[in-house]
Amino acid sequence: MKAHATVGNAEPNYARLRYVTENFQSLQGLTWVAFGSAFFLSSIEDVVGQALPFWLLLVPMVLIFAAVRYVPKYYESRFGSVEPRSPSNKHAVIFLLVLLALALFGRPLGRYLDSVIPQGINQIHLLISDLDHRTNLLPVIFWTALLCAMVLRQSRFASRLDIPFGLACLLFWAFALVFYPLRHPDVTKLTFWKVLNAGWFGISMIVTGLYDHLTLVALLPMRVRERDNE
Amino acid sequence: MSNEHDAVSLPSRLIHEPARLAILTVLSSCASADFVFLQNATELTKGNLSVQLTNLEEAGLVNINKEIVERKMRTTVTLSKRGASEIEAYWKTMDAIRARMIGEENQFSRRKRAIPLRAKSIHS
């Protein structure tokens, strides 16, 4: 994230230029922050146990409106705009091949998985529904999948940036929602733990959005205001 | 050896300049980019970016489109077909040069390691 050598000062970092241009749309994280906040507020209502005040119910709507109306304008005025490349033919060919493979082998594969998956599901279900622990495995599964996607990315620059963040999030959710309640079953009585458990998806969206936004700000730092004679 | 040197073509001077290379790298990673984004990404001044874009347009490497959006002039830049093929060729050339430099470096370090071994064998 620190690697932003400039054309004016030294040799530019071309990996940074490629990464920030290719991922400009997905790095506009404030949209995710707004949607995540709305999601979080709507998911913790059950945990609090009482009806939330009317104005607090309006907040998610205001956040979603801001995410749709003002956030894209902010990004365009601050960073400019980029039209992404249309997906290459390679992706279309891969998609068609996967579709063809599913059409041909989908049914036998489904029959095989039907006999294998329930055993795994039962184990997970036992852990989730255990009244003593109430372990929520979804955040760990979600972040493991996200971390795998980060590791498999072709860009070394992107992997170097994202993997530590993904790993930190995975470890946080694993300790907070899986290992800690397994060790201290009483944790299920804590409101903070309940809020984390119910609002993990909203919190994940907020954290990811903030991370993306800060990455964009670090990669495209604010230009020094030019003097009139420049 | 000299034949090997001749085998790798020299990179184009027009593209090799850091500011222009930065602009072309940005444009090769997207369909089009506006002036503000290019300025943010390359961190060039408005004047410098404008001059570099004009040079690239005159060389036929980029296309510049100006339009008025909400009473403001908006400049959008796209890579021309020639620009796309030239930047690709440039990176291929640079990769070839880098690969050869690494090869020569390995050969040099192998030779360096071999010298004390030979000296040792003479003494023994």
Side-chain angles (χ1 to χ4, degrees), chain B residues 114-124:
Chain B
I115 291 167
L117 281 174
R118 212 178 296 147
K120 212 177 175 183
S121 65
I122 292 165
H123 281 290
S124 61

Side-chain angles (χ1 to χ4, degrees), chain A residues 79-99:
Chain A
F79 300 102
S81 68
V82 167
E83 194 192 321
R85 259 189 306 197
S86 52
S88 66
N89 290 340
K90 195 174 85 179
H91 293 113
V93 169
I94 291 171
F95 178 74
L96 281 174
L97 283 175
V98 169
L99 210 67

Side-chain angles (χ1 to χ4, degrees), chain B residues 5-111:
Chain B
H5 273 286
D6 294 339
V8 178
S9 57
L10 286 172
S12 155
R13 255 177 179 271
L14 184 76
I15 298 177
H16 194 58
E17 198 276 325
R20 288 194 284 268
L21 183 57
I23 295 167
L24 291 173
T25 304
V26 169
L27 294 174
S28 65
S29 309
C30 62
S32 70
D34 73 351
F35 193 88
V36 181
F37 183 83
L38 281 171
Q39 208 190 339
N40 272 307
T42 59
E43 295 182 54
L44 292 168
T45 60
K46 274 182 190 173
N48 195 357
L49 178 60
S50 196
V51 168
Q52 302 297 354
L53 284 176
T54 310
N55 288 342
L56 289 170
E57 192 187 25
E58 280 170 3
L61 300 180
V62 299
N63 299 318
I64 299 174
N65 180 38
K66 290 186 179 188
E67 56 182 349
I68 295 170
V69 180
E70 290 172 9
R71 294 181 188 176
K72 279 182 186 170
M73 178 66 84
R74 189 175 160 193
T75 308
T76 317
V77 189
T78 52
L79 202 63
S80 68
K81 274 189 180 173
R82 196 183 145 206
S85 62
E86 289 222 6
I87 186 83
E88 209 184 316
Y90 173 85
W91 285 118
K92 272 184 187 164
T93 308
M94 294 308 282
D95 283 344
I97 291 171
R98 196 180 302 134
R100 212 173 59 190
M101 278 176 75
I102 291 168
E104 279 173 11
E105 213 168 86
N106 288 344
Q107 225 174 1
F108 178 72
S109 56
R110 239 180 281 142
R111 235 180 277 157

Side-chain angles (χ1 to χ4, degrees), chain A residues 26-106:
Chain A
S26 58
L27 286 173
Q28 298 182 9
L30 290 183
T31 316
W32 288 105
V33 174
F35 275 111
S37 307
F39 207 82
F40 175 72
L41 281 173
S42 55
S43 59
I44 59 158
E45 199 179 7
D46 298 336
V47 176
V48 178
Q50 58 198 30
L52 292 172
F54 178 70
W55 63 267
L56 207 58
L57 292 173
L58 279 177
V59 173
M61 280 181 242
V62 173
L63 285 168
I64 289 170
F65 177 74
V68 174
R69 183 88 176 81
Y70 296 110
V71 173
K73 277 192 175 177
Y74 158 72
Y75 277 110
E76 194 176 339
S77 64
R78 163 71 177 82
F79 300 102
S81 68
V82 167
E83 194 192 321
R85 259 189 306 197
S86 52
S88 66
N89 290 340
K90 195 174 85 179
H91 293 113
V93 169
I94 291 171
F95 178 74
L96 281 174
L97 283 175
V98 169
L99 210 67
L100 193 71
L102 278 176
L104 288 173
F105 308 112

Side-chain angles (χ1 to χ4, degrees), chain A residues 122-199:
Chain A
N122 280 343
Q123 293 293 325
I124 293 169
H125 193 72
L126 273 175
L127 271 172
I128 294 171
S129 58
D130 185 347
L131 289 175
D132 288 336
H133 305 120
R134 289 224 174 102
T135 310
N136 188 358
L137 290 181
L138 271 177
V140 176
I141 294 168
F142 175 81
W143 278 102
T144 307
L146 224 60
L147 189 64
C148 288
M150 287 168 183
V151 171
L152 291 173
R153 281 181 89 157
Q154 281 183 335
S155 161
R156 208 186 298 166
F157 185 85
S159 301
R160 218 173 40 204
L161 273 179
D162 295 340
I163 289 172
F165 168 73
L167 197 64
C169 288
L170 173 64
L171 287 175
F172 171 77
W173 289 113
F175 276 104
L177 296 182
V178 181
F179 297 122
Y180 195 71
L182 285 174
R183 209 170 160 78
H184 303 280
D186 286 348
V187 78
T188 50
K189 290 173 189 165
L190 291 175
T191 314
F192 178 68
W193 188 82
K194 283 181 185 170
V195 168
L196 274 185
N197 212 357

